[in-house]
Amino acid sequence: MAHQLTRFFAVLALSLGLVLTGMTAQAQVNPTASSVTEDSMFEALGTSDTVSGRVSIPNKTAGTLIKPDNKDWAAFQRGALPLIFVVALGGMLVLLAAFYLIKGRVRVEHGMSGRTIERFSAVERFAHWTLSSTFIILALSGLNLVIGRSVILPLVGEAAYGTLTAWGKLAHNFLAWPFMVALVLIVVFWVAHNIPNKLDLVWIKQGGGLFKKGMHPPAKKFNAGQKVIFWCVVGGGVALSFTGYMMLFPVQAGTPSDWQLYQTIHGLVAAGLTAIIIAHIYIGSVGMEGAFDAMASGQVDENWAREHHSLWVEEVKGRTDAPAAGRTHPAE
Ligand code: HEM
């Protein structure tokens, strides 16, 4: 496989008209020779030397055919990165399954009150669902690029895998843009509610109230756990967007080594953020009774709100100048 790959690059470089004269694959090829035979080049590719030459096109970096760094990078892409993904995502799934089996679903302790309170407006929910749907497709299509060849290809066969991967790559390139727009929107909507404060320390000390019955640490609109999610999404989202942009436009990225660095960062951040988002999806759906309503209808039960965001409830109830924001409704 490695041999085929190197052969492919060699043939590609030659057919592009690279004048690989005077190859500097030290010891293997005479740098002053006027032409290089195919054989000597393949021989050089098999070593750990840099294989480079002179090119007559403006992009001088194209004259470097193979570098030892490239081989390290390729080995990382094929070996360590898939492993990191499997450990991060698999580990998170195991943790959540264990948490669910031990603790079960986090219930509304006082039961549903039947009165609801508005938590997120339609525009906020639109931004969240745009962000989340694009992220999920980006994550799955990206994951396919990392482990698809070992996991999906043997299951579905070459034709289906080829089609899936081609569409996945297209989706990945195009959905990155609405993802970035939604990222900006959630920052605009929620950044003010996510500034860390002293209250967060109390929330963290009490483990978010998850481990003791009847304990509900006070929180405003977002508690410390949610603030961590928010800043991971913002930080990770910006890092993914920046490195993804560089990969889409290699000329902006600089040298091929810079491009490879961006790709490595992109992969590592994607693995970490996806693991975090799996936890978020769990707690926002099956993990906590009443939470999903906040992003579905935008209305949450008042008892849920008092148990998880007591200070926010006081705030919106006390607000007289913006009745729409904290309006409560009898449940239908
Ligand atoms: C099916 C998948 C998802 C579900 C069911 C879901 C559910 C929720 C819910 C219910 C909330 C509001 C929690 C509250 O009322 O306090 C929320 C908030 C949020 N979601 Fe999601 N979400 C999903 C996917 C995502 C994804 C993929 C991202 C980002 C890439 C994301 C980012 C956020 C952020 C930043 C917040 C605000 C902070 C927080 O509550 O943690 N969500 N989500």
Side-chain angles (χ1 to χ4, degrees):
M1 179 65 196
H3 186 65
Q4 282 167 328
L5 206 63
T6 49
R7 184 173 280 263
F8 169 76
F9 278 118
V11 171
L12 187 69
L14 286 172
S15 64
L16 281 174
L18 296 182
V19 189
L20 279 163
T21 52
M23 281 185 31
T24 57
Q26 299 84 354
Q28 268 76 33
V29 186
N30 174 2
T32 57
S34 58
S35 69
V36 179
T37 65
E38 215 183 327
D39 272 357
S40 63
M41 192 159 73
F42 285 136
E43 216 174 285
L45 290 174
T47 70
S48 58
D49 290 326
T50 296
V51 179
S52 61
R54 285 195 296 274
V55 288
S56 55
I57 55 172
N59 180 8
K60 295 300 169 207
T61 57
T64 300
L65 199 55
I66 289 284
K67 285 193 308 176
D69 292 356
N70 291 352
K71 291 178 182 171
D72 295 344
W73 166 79
F76 177 78
Q77 298 295 322
R78 279 197 299 266
L81 191 62
L83 191 68
I84 289 170
F85 265 90
V86 170
V87 170
L89 309 194
M92 183 55 83
L93 287 172
V94 169
L95 269 180
L96 292 173
F99 185 81
Y100 183 76
L101 289 176
I102 296 166
K103 295 289 302 175
R105 199 170 194 214
V106 178
R107 299 271 173 202
V108 177
E109 214 169 292
H110 295 93
M112 296 297 187
S113 70
R115 288 182 307 279
T116 59
I117 182 167
E118 185 172 289
R119 183 141 173 82
F120 294 111
S121 68
V123 203
E124 286 173 297
R125 283 178 282 138
F126 172 76
H128 173 268
W129 289 123
T130 305
L131 184 79
S132 46
S133 53
T134 52
F135 181 88
I136 290 168
I137 299 172
L138 287 164
L140 290 175
S141 53
L143 190 63
N144 179 44
L145 296 179
V146 180
I147 59 169
R149 215 178 318 166
S150 338
V151 178
I152 301 176
L153 174 63
L155 293 178
V156 300
E158 278 175 11
Y161 178 70
T163 310
L164 179 81
T165 305
W167 281 104
K169 186 71 186 74
L170 260 183
H172 204 89
N173 289 354
F174 284 96
L175 290 178
W177 303 97
F179 171 81
M180 287 187 250
V181 173
L183 190 65
V184 172
L185 288 178
I186 68 143
V187 170
V188 171
F189 295 152
W190 295 339
V191 72
H193 299 290
N194 280 287
I195 309 295
N197 57 34
K198 277 190 192 144
L199 228 96
D200 298 327
L201 293 177
V202 178
W203 192 93
I204 291 167
K205 261 189 214 150
Q206 298 188 5
L210 280 178
F211 303 98
K212 201 164 167 203
K213 215 171 152 41
M215 183 182 271
H216 299 293
K220 292 192 174 188
K221 179 144 182 163
F222 292 122
N223 60 41
Q226 290 176 297
K227 289 180 186 178
V228 170
I229 300 281
F230 176 83
W231 287 112
C232 286
V233 168
V234 174
V238 168
L240 289 171
S241 305
F242 176 72
T243 51
Y245 176 87
M246 288 302 182
M247 286 194 286
L248 268 183
F249 302 104
V251 175
Q252 307 280 332
T255 65
S257 304
D258 293 337
W259 191 93
Q260 289 168 354
L261 179 68
Y262 290 130
Q263 202 210 33
T264 304
I265 296 173
H266 197 82
L268 292 174
V269 174
L273 188 58
T274 309
I276 291 169
I277 287 300
I278 291 176
H280 167 75
I281 293 175
Y282 167 79
I283 202 75
S285 56
V286 286
M288 179 185 278
E289 185 183 13
F292 188 73
D293 297 337
M295 275 303 165
S297 63
Q299 307 285 326
V300 288
D301 190 89
E302 213 174 289
N303 279 356
W304 178 91
R306 284 192 190 285
E307 288 179 16
H308 299 294
H309 301 276
S310 53
L311 300 176
W312 171 73
V313 177
E314 300 310 319
E315 228 172 75
V316 287
K317 289 233 171 215
R319 221 184 282 159
T320 47
D321 53 339
R327 205 163 41 207
T328 58
H329 309 276
E332 282 156 23

